[in-house]
Amino acid sequence: MTEPRTSARNTLSLKTAPTLKPVRKGQSEDVIVIGAGAAGLMAAMTAAERGKSVLVLDHASKLCEKIRISGGGRCNFTNIHCAPHNFLSDNPRFVRPALKAYTQRDFLKLVESHNIAWHEKTLGQLFCDHSANDIIDMLLERCSSKGARVLGQTTITAVRSLPVQDENSPRFELETSDGLKSCRNLVVATGGLSIPKIGATNFGHRLAQNLNIPVTPLRPALVPLVLQEDDKEFCKAISGLSLPVRTSAGKQSFEEALLFTHRGLSGPSILQISSYWQPGGSIRINLLPGEDIPALMAADRQSKKNVSSILSNHLPNRLAKAMADKHSATGSMTETGKKTLNSLIEGLSNWQLTPAGDEGYNKAEVTLGGVDTRSLDPATMECRDHPGLFFIGEVTDVTGHLGGHNFQWAWSSGFAAGLGV
Ligand code: FDA
């Protein structure tokens, strides 16, 4: 690969603080990884296993917090069915080479080689039996046993590209709270914007933009939805209730559980569809997926029982009553007119809602959008126009479905960069 020769230091201009501690000249590394999360540690250990000198920098005092809180503390670390169609991106084919080169079975082998007990929960989702800490310990142990150093509580205040002298000379210089550092390859693994209180920042997105690498629009995904006032009141009255449904937006559908909340809707089926929902647009819910709802209603058409009591043969009681009331089907089945019944059937099978918004990055599991993957080499994650600079994991415009796919992208893209550096 030919590299542009620069005669002077070229600032990548990610100056985030005007004043710095006095810098001391540090040893140059083959690889510096910014972000000690899932993707960063996978890249670090892969590169270190190849004999590269690796330094991982993270500003957080407690490392790997997202792994620790994932999967309710048990980390849904991959999905046995993971495939390219489980990812959203403006450039959908991009994920293929990396997912193929490092699969869910490869990660599972690694987990098993560390004697981590695991189980499949549902829909191919693999979780630790004991704790997400098992995955963190494995990654950190793997890094340290191969000599990759991981430094927390380190703020990076500037990144500069250096003039290229020869094929081994450092290409990047970082000003950090731990002094000046330089490296031949820089891997950016700073993740998405969700859960800012545990260290999420837009560092990677800003760095890309400063280098004229496009960033696709960012928004929360895998996130609960907030409803308009009337629908919100409806949900509030039955909050806490959960049932299996089919949610749809456009042509995309998911059959998983829905949870009514005080502010709207949550649960896996809603988190999934939130990634496809366009703000201002609507979603559809089938409360009885797999059932022929008109036939169910027709079977009881001559019943003297209340509509809500007939519905409660198929739905939780509170929801049956709330749906019957919502569609003014308050009397017995025989007393209910055709128009009312049709409205109820439509409400049960194709309930259309226009969410007012989502619960934002404090509640979102991931960020939709990111560093435009058309700027990256799909085999290595290296920037096409900036040799030695890599973007991996959630900071890229690759967003997985719920169920272990986001971690699989972190492992696969981290592995690709670990081999590419
Ligand atoms: P990640 O966010 O893991 O790491 C980024 C690192 O960069 C962090 O350590 C951060 O401190 C550091 N950083 C950020 N800015 C920096 C800066 N300016 N300077 C230095 N360091 C900086 N996925 C899944 O597959 N299964 C699951 O069970 C779950 N569960 C889950 C629960 C919850 C509550 C959330 C919020 C998310 C999940 N996810 C998930 C998603 C998953 O956690 C996420 O996609 C991956 O952690 C992404 O890995 P990355 O390494 O790209 O980013």
Side-chain angles (χ1 to χ4, degrees):
M1 192 185 324
T2 54
E3 296 186 3
R5 280 188 171 268
T6 44
S7 56
R9 280 185 178 185
N10 176 19
T11 298
L12 298 191
S13 59
L14 194 80
K15 278 257 182 206
T16 50
T19 47
L20 294 169
K21 277 189 195 169
V23 290
R24 58 184 161 78
K25 188 79 187 162
Q27 189 201 344
S28 183
E29 310 286 344
D30 292 328
V31 186
I32 289 182
V33 179
I34 307 180
L41 292 180
M42 173 55 88
M45 72 182 220
T46 307
E49 278 164 10
R50 292 175 51 233
K52 304 278 176 187
S53 64
V54 183
L55 176 64
V56 187
L57 303 175
D58 200 299
H59 67 159
S61 48
K62 226 173 154 197
L63 296 177
C64 301
E65 269 306 271
K66 252 188 211 170
I67 302 180
R68 205 182 314 277
I69 63 172
S70 68
R74 292 233 163 99
C75 186
N76 175 196
F77 55 80
T78 192
N79 190 298
I80 210 66
H81 307 303
C82 187
H85 70 257
N86 296 117
F87 295 89
L88 294 90
S89 172
D90 274 5
N91 180 20
R93 297 180 70 82
F94 177 79
V95 296
R96 287 168 185 259
L99 290 179
K100 197 168 167 201
Y102 192 85
T103 68
Q104 54 272 35
R105 285 169 295 282
D106 292 318
F107 191 74
L108 190 54
K109 258 190 230 158
L110 179 67
V111 165
E112 288 183 334
S113 74
H114 281 252
N115 298 318
I116 296 174
W118 60 274
H119 62 278
E120 179 179 344
K121 205 167 176 183
T122 175
L123 303 171
Q125 300 168 5
L126 306 191
F127 286 76
C128 297
D129 281 1
H130 304 299
S131 160
N133 286 327
D134 290 348
I135 300 291
I136 299 171
D137 292 346
M138 175 186 80
L139 296 168
L140 291 174
E141 193 185 308
R142 207 84 186 179
C143 282
S144 77
S145 70
K146 296 292 169 188
R149 289 170 302 132
V150 182
L151 219 54
Q153 284 184 291
T154 307
T155 309
I156 296 128
T157 43
V159 178
R160 287 186 283 271
S161 65
L162 297 173
V164 176
Q165 279 147 9
D166 57 53
E167 62 180 29
N168 294 317
S169 68
R171 290 185 280 207
F172 303 97
E173 184 175 73
L174 278 67
E175 284 180 11
T176 83
S177 53
D178 191 58
L180 200 62
K181 317 227 174 260
S182 61
C183 59
R184 178 87 187 144
N185 296 289
L186 182 63
V187 180
V188 183
T190 46
L193 302 179
S194 60
I195 327 283
K197 69 174 179 218
I198 59 167
T201 72
N202 64 359
F203 181 98
H205 307 109
R206 278 189 299 134
L207 179 60
Q209 278 167 333
N210 287 345
L211 290 166
N212 291 323
I213 300 167
V215 174
T216 65
L218 307 174
R219 67 178 169 89
L222 299 181
V223 62
L225 295 175
V226 178
L227 298 180
Q228 318 266 4
E229 224 31 67
D230 281 1
D231 293 324
K232 191 153 81 183
E233 285 307 308
F234 177 89
C235 293
K236 202 170 170 179
I238 50 173
S239 71
L241 197 148
S242 168
L243 77 162
V245 302
R246 184 188 308 125
T247 53
S248 308
K251 288 184 182 152
Q252 189 70 36
S253 295
F254 293 94
E255 272 192 44
E256 291 189 56
L258 171 146
L259 172 71
F260 292 95
T261 73
H262 275 86
R263 288 162 57 79
L265 299 170
S266 186
S269 69
I270 292 298
L271 301 188
Q272 296 277 36
I273 213 64
S274 72
S275 301
Y276 290 87
W277 168 69
Q278 298 297 330
S282 63
I283 60 165
R284 305 182 306 283
I285 300 174
N286 183 335
L287 292 170
L288 288 164
E291 298 280 5
D292 182 344
I293 298 170
L296 284 183
M297 294 293 122
D300 286 309
R301 192 68 181 103
Q302 302 311 320
S303 174
K304 299 223 161 32
K305 283 187 179 169
N306 274 351
V307 173
S308 65
S309 127
I310 288 167
L311 272 186
S312 65
N313 293 329
H314 311 287
L315 291 173
N317 288 345
R318 279 197 299 154
L319 179 59
K321 166 114 180 48
M323 284 310 276
D325 290 351
K326 180 175 166 61
H327 292 275
S328 311
T330 47
S332 72
M333 196 62 150
T334 44
E335 286 164 2
T336 304
K338 201 171 165 195
K339 204 169 152 204
T340 303
L341 201 59
N342 284 344
S343 151
L344 177 63
I345 290 170
E346 180 71 5
L348 295 171
S349 59
N350 192 28
W351 184 13
Q352 301 237 14
L353 291 151
T354 304
D358 60 54
E359 295 217 18
Y361 287 116
N362 285 333
K363 292 284 168 64
E365 282 203 8
V366 290
T367 301
L368 201 65
V371 173
D372 194 327
T373 58
R374 284 165 286 228
S375 309
L376 309 177
D377 178 337
T380 61
M381 310 291 134
E382 189 173 20
C383 287
R384 295 186 192 282
D385 295 336
H386 300 278
L389 181 65
F390 299 71
F391 288 88
I392 57 172
E394 206 186 308
V395 75
T396 63
D397 171 31
V398 174
T399 307
H401 288 174
L402 192 75
H405 303 286
N406 284 295
F407 276 134
Q408 187 56 44
W409 175 243
W411 315 135
S412 296
S413 59
F415 183 80
L419 290 188
V421 290

